[in-house]
Amino acid sequence: SSELTQDPAVSVALGQTVIITCQGDGLRSHYPGWYQQRPGQSPVLVVYGNNIRPSGTPDRFSGSSYGNRASLTITGAQAEDEADYYCNCRGGSDNHHVFGTGTKVTVL
Amino acid sequence: QITLKESGPALVEPTQTLTLTCTFSGFSLNTPGVGVGWIRQPPGKALESLALIYWDDDKRYGPSLGGRVSITKDTSNNQVVLTLTNTGPVDTATYYCARSTYGYIYDSWGHGALVAVSS
């Protein structure tokens, strides 16, 4: 299957740790990208490859992968981390890429 | 500074063809490894990959559009054009263009263009 599945929503207390997961066959062979999308804004790449953070991404964001699952961890969540998060990865018969179903993170 | 900007009609009638243009600056689509893709997001829903064109004119299309989509590039004018035929209400969405590196990683995005398909 070319789909990437994510939990629809998770919540985290301010300053605590939250893990966002992404599952799909393409993850067995390729690292995902992780994107943060705040309400009314365009997505922003926060982690890609083997836990690489673009400049500007706080170091509280980290990524990991194992088998057909990948995770984005926010260690010490802040109020500004409240957003939707999407993974993407290669998948499908023509090696196109797909996005995950998205996870809404609420910071309490 | 890398910028991408989407342009096109805000309203399209059902069955018509939607054409969107992405005009970018700060990078070249002649650079090996670089691509420009189109991604859309229906209101309140998830991101959906539509098409991606690479520096060498290799093209990849999303799995859900059944051959209705095509992508072309005009390197000299720094533009990428998306065409979506036989539109319907399900194509109502915000359409983003974005720069791709490392094959499928989108590291810079435009602000998006909201397109409604309605009569």
Side-chain angles (χ1 to χ4, degrees), chain A residues 18-59:
Chain A
V18 62
I19 299 174
I20 304 159
T21 61
C22 174
Q23 183 172 354
D25 289 342
L27 296 170
R28 297 184 186 277
S29 305
H30 305 284
Y31 290 110
W34 288 97
Y35 304 84
Q36 176 192 69
Q37 186 179 33
R38 295 187 175 115
Q41 297 186 18
S42 302
V44 175
L45 179 69
V46 292
V47 171
Y48 68 99
N50 188 9
N51 193 25
I52 301 170
R53 287 185 299 273
S55 61
T57 300
D59 60 6

Side-chain angles (χ1 to χ4, degrees), chain B residues 11-98:
Chain B
L11 179 65
V12 175
E13 291 191 355
T15 75
Q16 288 193 335
T17 295
L18 169 64
T19 300
L20 293 168
T21 300
C22 175
T23 302
F24 57 88
S25 64
F27 67 96
S28 171
L29 203 38
N30 283 322
T31 302
V34 172
V36 172
W38 285 94
I39 305 100
R40 72 179 180 183
Q41 186 172 39
K45 296 189 177 181
L47 300 171
E48 178 185 13
S49 174
L50 300 179
L52 173 56
I53 189 165
Y54 294 99
W55 86 101
D56 60 357
D57 210 38
D58 185 19
K59 303 170 185 176
R60 306 285 171 167
Y61 294 105
S64 64
L65 295 167
R68 293 194 296 129
V69 66
S70 65
I71 189 170
T72 59
K73 63 182 174 70
D74 179 354
T75 306
S76 59
N77 287 312
N78 285 349
Q79 292 183 326
V80 171
V81 176
L82 179 81
T83 302
L84 183 63
T85 61
N86 192 25
T87 56
V90 297
D91 297 313
T92 293
T94 296
Y95 287 75
Y96 296 98
C97 67

Side-chain angles (χ1 to χ4, degrees), chain A residues 61-104:
Chain A
F61 289 86
S62 62
S64 63
S65 294
Y66 184 78
N68 71 337
R69 296 173 67 91
S71 299
L72 176 70
T73 301
I74 308 174
T75 303
Q78 303 299 303
E80 61 264 32
D81 300 335
E82 187 162 289
D84 294 327
Y85 291 83
Y86 295 91
C87 58
N88 87 320
C89 188
R90 285 198 191 278
S93 59
D94 66 349
N95 213 22
H96 189 56
H97 62 279
V98 292
F99 283 88
T101 51
T103 298
K104 181 177 181 60

